[in-house]
Amino acid sequence: MIDFVSATNTSGETLVMPLATPETSGFAVAKVEGIGPVDASVTTSTFVGRDGAVNTGTRVGVRTIILTLVYRPDWSKGETIESLRHKTYRHFPMKDLVKFRVKTDERDVMIEGIVEANVIDIFSSQEMSKITIHCPNPYFRQSFGMDLGNAISFSAVTPNFSFPFENTPVDQQVIEFSIEDLRTETPVEYKGDVESGAKFTINILKRCEKVTITHLGMDIGSYVPPENVVYLDLDSSYINRVNYQLPKPFLAGDQITVNTELGNRSIEFLRGDKSYNGMPLSSIYGSWPLMYPGVNRLGFKVTGGDMYSVRWSVVVDPRYMGV
């Protein structure tokens, strides 16, 4: 069940429209179209002299959301039919970007789109607006964005014990507070409906030459042929392409942030208090690891150092076909 829908314009103003209590917003949400899965286009090529065809490509098109709002003015607050009509102009400005949010019992998702039309039926006995939002990216995402608090750590040091008292005597190792773990592969569950990128944060703890992020497939414990492994190399031998004054290799304190989301792919290299475009660090032979619905096998390896040279984590921003 849908709790509410909302729209946020480019000025940051948000109009929240609860379905159960339209008097709070002045709008009764009569209908919302286009919030389910978008149809896929399937392209085929027919055989000559044979029955059937062969698939040559599939793609999902753009999403079109049509929102029908019936005016419900609160006369005690001085609202009128006309003032509510003008309110739609403010919150759904033509040809501008809006963030459309849908909150249901189980999902809280949003999508960005461009207002394509705001059709007003002025001479009807029940005046309303029919608003069309054109969404080039057809997939919904979490309304609160990437949840950094749920970052999955792949640290080679696994915490084992913590308690608010001393390790006494201090010259002896009485309590084992952590376990060093050569964990270079970890399963990550992705709960979205369609593939999505991820944000990898790599903190360099000791001098090393190259760090490789790998996606090893979906079946936990199964063998993956090397040719099927997706990997992205971050090579310090290219560090002079980032800035010719930077010394090689990667040094303790460096941080690399990799975003593999389609359309927003980026690599940020941080050394000291300065941030650089880190795209030159990536090898032209690598690829961008993506996350797929289910349990993904992610791993890393270090060249010119050991596994304790880095500490890294990943955050995933799920994509959904519909609400």
Side-chain angles (χ1 to χ4, degrees):
M1 180 178 177
I2 297 178
D3 183 13
F4 67 82
V5 298
S6 71
T8 303
N9 59 22
T10 52
S11 299
E13 299 172 313
T14 300
L15 174 63
V16 180
M17 295 165 284
L19 271 66
T21 56
E23 64 276 3
T24 59
S25 65
F27 299 99
V29 181
K31 196 173 185 181
V32 186
E33 302 173 71
I35 56 176
V38 177
D39 292 343
S41 298
V42 180
T43 305
T44 59
S45 178
T46 58
F47 297 113
V48 177
R50 285 179 51 193
D51 296 337
V54 61
N55 177 32
T56 59
T58 57
R59 60 180 298 273
V60 174
V62 299
R63 180 183 297 275
T64 300
I65 296 175
I66 302 176
L67 180 65
T68 303
L69 304 176
V70 178
Y71 305 154
R72 291 286 186 266
D74 187 342
W75 306 102
S76 64
K77 296 179 181 178
E79 289 182 341
T80 64
I81 294 291
E82 185 174 0
S83 69
L84 291 178
R85 184 168 68 245
H86 295 165
K87 195 173 182 179
T88 67
Y89 302 160
R90 183 182 185 91
H91 289 279
F92 297 95
M94 296 296 298
K95 72 179 183 180
D96 272 6
L97 191 71
V98 295
K99 294 180 180 179
F100 184 71
R101 179 182 175 188
V102 183
K103 173 69 167 64
T104 68
D105 293 337
E106 296 186 8
R107 286 184 175 176
D108 187 352
V109 296
M110 59 82 65
I111 194 169
E112 292 185 347
I114 300 167
V115 179
E116 189 175 52
N118 186 352
V119 180
I120 307 296
D121 192 357
I122 296 179
F123 295 100
S124 171
S125 59
Q126 188 179 57
E127 191 168 340
M128 65 180 68
S129 292
K130 183 173 285 190
I131 299 163
T132 302
I133 304 173
H134 190 78
C135 306
N137 187 332
Y139 299 121
F140 287 94
R141 60 195 301 177
Q142 293 179 138
S143 62
F144 43 86
M146 286 190 177
D147 189 358
L148 299 179
N150 286 333
I152 299 171
S153 176
F154 295 78
S155 170
V157 179
T158 303
N160 189 49
F161 183 85
S162 64
F163 209 78
F165 56 74
E166 296 183 289
N167 182 64
T168 307
V170 295
D171 59 341
Q172 299 180 21
Q173 295 182 0
V174 180
I175 301 172
E176 188 176 29
F177 284 92
S178 64
I179 299 173
E180 289 192 316
D181 179 14
L182 283 175
R183 182 172 45 149
T184 58
E185 179 186 328
T186 301
V188 177
E189 184 179 7
Y190 172 62
K191 297 182 180 180
D193 299 328
V194 293
E195 68 272 11
S196 175
K199 180 176 286 188
F200 298 87
T201 301
I202 302 166
N203 292 288
I204 308 298
L205 305 181
K206 295 191 298 183
R207 181 187 180 99
C208 62
E209 296 176 359
K210 184 169 70 174
V211 179
T212 303
I213 302 171
T214 57
H215 189 292
L216 300 167
M218 302 296 295
D219 298 324
I220 302 302
S222 63
Y223 171 74
V224 180
E227 62 271 17
N228 293 342
V229 174
V230 176
Y231 68 92
L232 178 66
D233 283 334
L234 302 169
D235 196 337
S236 67
S237 64
Y238 303 137
I239 205 167
N240 294 136
R241 299 179 185 177
V242 175
N243 187 299
Y244 72 94
Q245 295 180 329
L246 294 176
K248 305 174 185 176
F250 295 135
L251 305 175
D254 290 349
Q255 184 183 82
I256 308 170
T257 303
V258 180
N259 188 349
T260 68
E261 180 186 351
L262 184 64
N264 292 303
R265 288 173 173 170
S266 64
I267 300 176
E268 180 188 15
F269 178 65
L270 184 66
R271 173 166 287 183
D273 58 353
K274 291 186 178 181
S275 176
Y276 303 91
N277 176 13
M279 291 295 283
L281 296 174
S282 60
S283 168
I284 61 174
Y285 301 105
S287 187
W288 297 87
L290 297 175
M291 303 294 289
Y292 300 91
V295 178
N296 297 253
R297 293 171 58 195
L298 297 181
F300 77 98
K301 64 179 181 179
V302 179
T303 305
D306 56 38
M307 292 305 172
Y308 303 110
S309 299
V310 301
R311 178 175 292 126
W312 67 298
S313 62
V314 60
V315 181
V316 183
D317 189 7
R319 297 290 184 268
Y320 303 102
M321 290 185 182
V323 300

